[in-house]
Amino acid sequence: MEGRADQRTFEEVLRWLLDAWRVPEATLVGLSMGGSIAAGFTLRNPQRVRGLVLVDSTGIQHRLPHHLLTYLLLRRRFAGALVAKLLRLNRSLVRQVVNRVFFTSGQAVPDLESIVDEVSAEAAARGSVFADWHADAIARRAMRVNHLPHLGRIQCPVMVIHGEQDAIVPVTAARDAAGAIPGSTLRVIPETGHWPNREKPNEFNALLREFVNAHN
């Protein structure tokens, strides 16, 4: 199967998967870009979603930190490809980037070397540090994919989990999202970056169990 893996495509793939698995409704947990996909799917298919957990979700803010710079780098395809090549060839660089971008500096991440392997493999497979989703979602002046104005329509139980020191999606965006969703719960994990499930797995899993036990 070939095509652009943008927001709508991912939402449709999720619907196809649930249909193929014969799952009429599910609790969705989405991390980062997965959070945007889960939120968009919930807005389009509310009858299919029993509960929603947004984890350091993208797609819930008007602009990114350093938005214009990100847009310009995205539009110059060689930039994403060059960074991906460097990451593929330099394991030490991958480790530094992961620690600076996705985690809070100075903390021991339980399975850091496995994460380095995963990031290196993804950079090699994709050929760029940017995905089709980024090209679809990021316009010059603002986010093209921005669920924030529509989150008030979500009626299922929602928990918003966010790393306090996320450098990609500021915690203020999570607070705005939680404030826009009626009855939602916000849980901020202190001293944690963009991937709390990998940086603080015990704390993250405890919050996930809390949500699932309360709503299933």
Side-chain angles (χ1 to χ4, degrees):
M1 182 176 179
E2 295 184 1
R4 291 189 60 78
D6 56 17
Q7 175 74 28
R8 287 298 299 275
T9 300
F10 276 125
E11 290 176 16
E12 285 301 291
V13 168
L14 178 55
R15 183 175 62 82
W16 296 337
L17 284 172
L18 291 177
D19 289 345
W21 294 332
R22 299 181 181 179
V23 177
E25 63 173 3
T27 295
L28 300 181
V29 181
L31 167 69
S32 190
M33 183 175 71
S36 178
I37 295 160
F41 180 88
T42 302
L43 288 165
R44 293 182 185 278
N45 306 274
Q47 75 284 358
R48 305 290 304 263
V49 183
R50 182 186 302 122
L52 175 65
V53 181
L54 300 177
V55 187
D56 292 73
S57 176
T58 58
I60 57 170
Q61 59 196 124
H62 301 297
R63 288 172 59 87
L64 300 172
H66 313 296
H67 186 94
L68 181 58
L69 175 60
T70 303
Y71 171 82
L72 293 174
L73 290 173
L74 179 61
R75 290 301 179 267
R76 285 155 178 78
R77 294 182 181 275
F78 72 88
L82 176 60
V83 175
K85 184 176 182 179
L86 292 173
L87 293 176
R88 189 172 70 249
L89 297 175
N90 191 328
R91 186 179 179 84
S92 176
L93 177 62
V94 176
R95 192 179 295 107
Q96 291 180 45
V97 169
V98 166
N99 274 319
R100 285 181 174 272
V101 176
F102 297 109
F103 303 130
T104 54
S105 82
Q107 289 210 112
V109 177
D111 57 344
L112 180 60
E113 294 310 308
S114 295
I115 295 168
V116 170
D117 290 338
E118 292 169 19
V119 171
S120 298
E122 184 172 345
R126 185 187 290 167
S128 174
V129 293
F130 296 115
D132 290 343
W133 186 91
H134 297 103
D136 174 57
I138 303 172
R140 183 181 184 89
R141 297 185 181 277
M143 291 295 292
R144 190 178 291 115
V145 175
N146 177 16
H147 307 297
L148 186 60
H150 312 291
L151 293 180
R153 292 171 21 213
I154 296 178
Q155 297 183 357
C156 67
V158 178
M159 177 178 282
V160 178
I161 301 175
H162 213 85
E164 181 185 39
Q165 298 178 18
D166 189 339
I168 297 176
V169 183
V171 70
T172 52
R175 293 193 176 105
D176 290 343
I181 303 172
S184 68
T185 302
L186 173 64
R187 295 286 188 267
V188 177
I189 303 179
E191 299 180 359
T192 308
H194 188 62
W195 286 349
N197 59 314
R198 306 301 290 268
E199 189 169 12
K200 297 279 187 70
N202 292 335
E203 292 89 334
F204 173 81
N205 291 334
L207 292 175
L208 202 54
R209 281 194 299 271
E210 173 191 329
F211 180 82
V212 171
N213 290 339
H215 300 291
N216 282 321

